[in-house]
Amino acid sequence: MAFLRGLFVISLLLGCARSRFVVEKSSITVIAPRDLVSKHDGSIANFGVPDYGGSMVGSVLYANKGSFGCNPFDGDKPFKSKTHLPTILVLDRGECYFALKVWNGQQAGAAAVLVADNIDEPLITMDSPEDSSNADGYIDKIGIPSALIEQSFGEALKAALKKGDDVVLKLDWSESLPHPDERVEYELWTNSNDECGIRCDEQMDFVKNFKGHAQILEKGGYTQFTPHYITWYCPRAFILSSQCKSQCINNGRYCAPDPEQDFGEGYQGKDVLFENLRQLCVHRVANESNRSWVWWDFVTDFHIRCSMKQKRYSKECAEDVMKSLDLPVDKIKKCMGNPEADEENEILKVEQERQVGRGSRGDVTILPTLVINNVQYRGKLERNAVLKAVCAGFKETTEPRICLSGDLETNECLDQNGGCWQDSKSNITACKDTFRGRVCECPSVNGVQYKGDGYTSCQDIDECKEGLACRCDGCMCKDTWGGYDCKCKGIYVRDQDTCIERNASKFGWFHYFLGSSFCCECRYCWLRFLQIQAQVLYGFRDYGYYVTVHATRQPTQQSSRPPRNRTSTTRK
Ligand SMILES: *[C@@H]1O[C@H](CO)[C@@H](O)[C@H](O)[C@H]1NC(C)=O
Ligand SMILES: *[C@@H]1O[C@H](CO)[C@@H](O)[C@H](O)[C@H]1NC(C)=O
Ligand SMILES: *[C@@H]1O[C@H](CO)[C@@H](O)[C@H](O)[C@H]1NC(C)=O
Ligand SMILES: *[C@@H]1O[C@H](CO)[C@@H](O)[C@H](O)[C@H]1NC(C)=O
Ligand SMILES: *[C@@H]1O[C@H](CO)[C@@H](O)[C@H](O)[C@H]1NC(C)=O
């Protein structure tokens, strides 16, 4: 199995032996004590929330006891600031994961954590543990910024604190992202495979959550977003092997690993690659008609409707999603080219070339990777943290409003009904506008829950057929949108929820008064009206609550009198 897993080669290893990794930095300025005033770099961690575009002034504390920060600190938030300045906690590198230190610091009340290197070396990026089921609990919850600082700087800070000095620092992320102009270019390296565990879930959650922001920015022309997909290739010697045949297209040129890492079962790498290619083409084709943001809709809808778990990860399902989003299926097919041919695929070739870092950006080797203005984003992939980073990429004063205020909201349902099911005749739609975008959910109308997938179908329950209502002897049931009509036929009249034989001596006059259209399902709504009528016309008090109305399942009860006990129940 080790051989099989190691078979594919990420394309950037092809051309250059050395792989490029760029350490993204923030700036740290010592404000006090006076003899320590100076400027330093801190490398931004790959977790937590760096304050892109912003800065923080805080006073420094060093944990004399447990200075590695590998165990929770004693007491209730011992580092919580007691002054107006937040606490910047300095911890020592070593003994445990960086992320664990920062988490313990956050728990103890620190507003930021600086990890002092224990080796004299150029700064490295602190990453979250790659494969850590035990760490997953806290990594997501880290909400403070952190940075690694050089050993010598760490020593200087500690020495000043030992002397009893007040040490004040300014952490500054305002130059951590280039912000040359009024448009931000950013790209997300992702994958359509939804069965790769926590990394895949993380990517998908981000795409779903960020969609609303992304679409507002894109529609306003503030950003140019491009999705990217990593591909691998099959070494020449293995092109004819069954592994490469099932995992690769275009004669071994482009491959993706098997989702289950089991070649005999489930989906093949090839399926993932096709879908990646399709999503690239969706973006390209949508972009041609200036609707590039539809990619976000497509990807999230595909994930919901065509998941691997439900065994619906297929071309057919993808095409259904395209249709519901009004995307031209033929154009997208054409864009995908012929995967069987022994030739380059223009789209995938470009993707492979772009994986190699250039300029200020390092190689893309892990998923997901977010690149903003050609600088790799650090910090957790979370909606607001990423929005902040994108906003930090605009030239001063050219930021869109969404960057300046927390409240943003568009009604996605106004555009193509959000790709959801609708019945225009009765003006009922499955599209529900939300803060983050929209969801396609069968609606509830007048208390009736429609059933279906929300995209292509939603159906009213047929109460008559299901026998849920209007079942009394002599009832006549007719299904309607969102409800039903119930009448009593022939010699029957309605008494509460049931039809009873008309008692001529008691009700005879009624026939004349109201015609023969008696209802067995109306819910007292007309009772009051008729009572008054009866009183006015005849001076009677006790007659007249039999009348035809359109009955819905939860009609308003306007009766001034509480309903009498039912003789038979036709509803829950
Ligand atoms: C999207 O369209 C714009 C022009 O409208 C173009 O400049 C850009 O390169 C296109 N992006 C992609 C990924 O095709
Ligand atoms: C898309 O936008 C570009 C530039 O803004 C314009 O030149 C082009 O005609 C537009 N294409 C469509 C199909 O509207
Ligand atoms: C459909 O209903 C919405 C609100 O539910 C309303 O704003 C819209 O005007 C209605 N359209 C028609 C054609 O009745
Ligand atoms: C009609 O109603 C009266 C009074 O409620 C009752 O005494 C009588 O038996 C009923 N007649 C029939 C045929 O049900
Ligand atoms: C209706 O039913 C309730 C409880 O089942 C009972 O207490 C009440 O007396 C009944 N009312 C009439 C008018 O029968």
Side-chain angles (χ1 to χ4, degrees):
M1 203 39 129
F3 160 74
L4 299 180
R5 265 183 224 171
L7 186 61
F8 303 126
V9 182
I10 209 158
S11 72
L12 54 93
L13 300 180
L14 184 67
C16 55
R18 91 216 130 77
S19 153
R20 285 188 64 217
F21 186 87
V22 176
V23 177
E24 310 300 347
K25 292 173 184 155
S26 58
S27 122
I28 303 175
T29 309
V30 183
I31 297 176
R34 195 170 283 191
D35 59 332
L36 212 61
V37 169
S38 52
K39 217 168 174 177
H40 301 264
D41 280 339
S43 78
I44 306 173
N46 233 350
F47 47 81
V49 180
D51 189 9
Y52 278 108
S55 64
M56 171 196 289
V57 174
S59 63
V60 179
L61 283 182
Y62 176 66
N64 289 306
K65 208 168 130 234
S67 68
F68 287 111
C70 294
N71 296 307
F73 292 99
D74 292 337
D76 179 28
K77 299 206 182 298
F79 300 125
K80 191 164 191 275
S81 166
K82 288 164 193 83
T83 66
H84 66 287
L85 288 180
T87 302
I88 299 172
L89 181 65
V90 173
L91 295 173
D92 290 318
R93 180 178 174 190
E95 307 267 309
C96 59
Y97 290 128
F98 291 119
L100 181 60
K101 295 173 193 284
V102 176
W103 169 240
N104 285 332
Q106 175 176 322
Q107 289 295 87
V113 170
L114 297 180
V115 179
D117 205 343
N118 55 1
I119 309 168
D120 188 14
E121 61 173 354
L123 290 174
I124 58 165
T125 297
M126 301 190 289
D127 208 348
S128 50
E130 187 62 28
D131 186 25
S132 55
S133 35
N134 56 344
D136 295 330
Y138 63 79
I139 287 180
D140 276 353
K141 290 188 228 149
I142 299 177
I144 60 171
S146 57
L148 183 74
I149 55 175
E150 283 175 356
Q151 188 184 25
S152 54
F153 181 37
E155 292 304 323
L157 291 177
K158 283 185 251 176
L161 289 167
K162 208 166 179 188
K163 266 191 346 200
D165 287 340
D166 280 337
V167 181
V168 178
L169 298 183
K170 181 180 182 193
L171 311 183
D172 192 343
W173 297 266
S174 59
E175 299 301 321
S176 298
L177 275 177
H179 41 93
D181 52 25
E182 68 280 355
R183 195 181 73 181
V184 171
E185 290 82 31
Y186 71 112
E187 53 193 56
L188 176 69
W189 289 82
T190 179
N191 192 355
S192 68
N193 177 0
D194 65 6
E195 280 283 35
C196 72
I198 185 152
R199 289 267 177 189
C200 283
D201 296 344
E202 189 184 296
Q203 282 178 61
M204 213 44 237
D205 284 348
F206 168 69
V207 169
K208 277 187 201 161
N209 290 334
F210 194 65
K211 188 176 101 173
H213 288 343
Q215 293 187 330
I216 288 174
L217 289 167
E218 203 76 3
K219 286 178 188 172
Y222 298 111
T223 55
Q224 188 176 62
F225 168 76
T226 321
H228 287 293
Y229 295 81
I230 290 188
T231 58
W232 290 257
Y233 76 93
C234 178
R236 282 206 84 72
F238 299 106
I239 283 179
L240 295 177
S241 69
S242 62
Q243 289 88 339
C244 278
K245 282 204 157 30
S246 73
Q247 316 305 301
C248 305
I249 63 172
N250 293 101
N251 200 26
R253 282 181 177 82
Y254 316 104
C255 315
D258 188 288
E260 301 94 357
Q261 302 194 343
D262 181 338
F263 297 100
E265 228 172 78
Y267 293 101
Q268 302 181 328
K270 221 171 166 172
D271 300 319
V272 174
L273 202 73
F274 276 140
E275 186 49 38
N276 289 350
L277 178 56
R278 185 175 294 117
Q279 296 188 356
L280 280 166
C281 283
V282 162
H283 180 261
R284 166 141 335 183
V285 168
N287 187 41
E288 276 164 15
S289 54
N290 295 342
R291 288 176 67 214
S292 56
W293 56 84
V294 177
W295 178 87
W296 295 87
D297 288 324
F298 179 82
V299 171
T300 45
D301 284 2
F302 181 82
H303 181 73
I304 295 168
R305 298 173 66 180
C306 313
S307 76
M308 286 185 180
K309 282 191 190 75
Q310 291 170 4
K311 306 246 178 296
R312 300 186 48 122
Y313 189 93
S314 69
K315 169 172 168 255
E316 289 69 31
C317 190
E319 287 178 358
D320 282 346
V321 176
M322 286 179 203
K323 282 178 205 148
S324 66
L325 293 172
D326 201 22
L327 285 162
V329 177
D330 287 344
K331 259 194 180 165
I332 290 166
K333 270 191 190 153
K334 187 155 168 254
C335 164
M336 290 175 69
N338 178 5
E340 304 300 335
D342 182 7
E343 62 186 18
E344 298 275 13
N345 178 301
E346 286 312 313
I347 309 257
L348 293 175
K349 192 173 150 208
V350 172
E351 291 298 291
Q352 280 190 344
E353 283 164 5
R354 287 203 53 103
Q355 273 166 240
V356 182
R358 60 172 67 83
S360 54
R361 198 204 79 196
D363 297 336
V364 177
T365 50
I366 55 163
L367 292 177
T369 290
L370 182 69
V371 178
I372 302 172
N373 279 351
N374 212 30
V375 162
Q376 189 168 337
Y377 167 84
R378 303 279 180 219
K380 69 175 165 188
L381 215 51
E382 184 270 331
R383 179 169 69 115
N384 285 324
V386 170
L387 178 64
K388 226 176 194 178
V390 170
C391 288
F394 291 105
K395 190 176 166 191
E396 221 72 58
T397 74
T398 65
E399 306 92 340
R401 254 197 41 218
I402 153 172
C403 289
L404 305 174
S405 73
D407 60 337
L408 67 150
E409 164 68 358
T410 53
N411 190 345
E412 283 79 8
C413 295
L414 297 181
D415 185 20
Q416 317 268 0
N417 197 44
C420 306
W421 171 91
Q422 68 176 334
D423 181 73
S424 43
K425 213 171 70 198
S426 49
N427 194 20
I428 299 175
T429 171
C431 190
K432 223 179 259 167
D433 184 37
T434 65
F435 177 72
R436 291 205 298 265
R438 63 97 182 86
V439 291
C440 296
E441 242 172 37
C442 290
S444 168
V445 180
N446 291 331
V448 180
Q449 181 59 55
Y450 285 64
K451 296 243 166 75
D453 67 1
Y455 294 94
T456 55
S457 84
C458 283
Q459 271 176 343
D460 175 23
I461 303 166
D462 186 340
E463 290 89 347
C464 299
K465 230 185 235 158
E466 307 265 349
L468 293 173
C470 193
R471 302 189 316 175
C472 48
D473 283 345
C475 281
M476 222 161 51
C477 191
K478 186 164 168 275
D479 194 51
T480 64
W481 276 109
Y484 51 89
D485 275 329
C486 200
K487 290 180 179 173
C488 295
K489 40 184 182 191
I491 57 165
Y492 291 93
V493 292
R494 177 192 168 280
D495 181 24
Q496 306 207 41
D497 276 359
T498 182
C499 289
I500 57 167
E501 253 178 87
R502 188 180 297 136
N503 183 328
S505 66
K506 194 170 176 187
F507 297 108
W509 63 274
F510 235 102
H511 192 255
Y512 164 77
F513 179 56
L514 289 169
S516 57
S517 188
F518 295 102
C519 169
C520 62
E521 280 287 347
C522 67
R523 279 287 211 101
Y524 313 101
C525 28
W526 288 72
L527 180 62
R528 196 172 153 68
F529 167 73
L530 283 174
Q531 265 183 317
I532 294 165
Q533 288 283 307
Q535 279 169 10
V536 170
L537 290 174
Y538 301 102
F540 294 144
R541 307 198 108 258
D542 250 331
Y543 293 124
Y545 47 91
Y546 310 126
V547 71
T548 300
V549 293
H550 172 82
T552 56
R553 211 176 279 162
Q554 288 177 337
T556 42
Q557 297 196 353
Q558 291 174 337
S559 171
S560 59
R561 202 165 67 177
R564 285 204 269 156
N565 290 352
R566 293 175 185 174
T567 49
S568 79
T569 304
T570 58
R571 311 169 181 172
K572 280 189 280 192

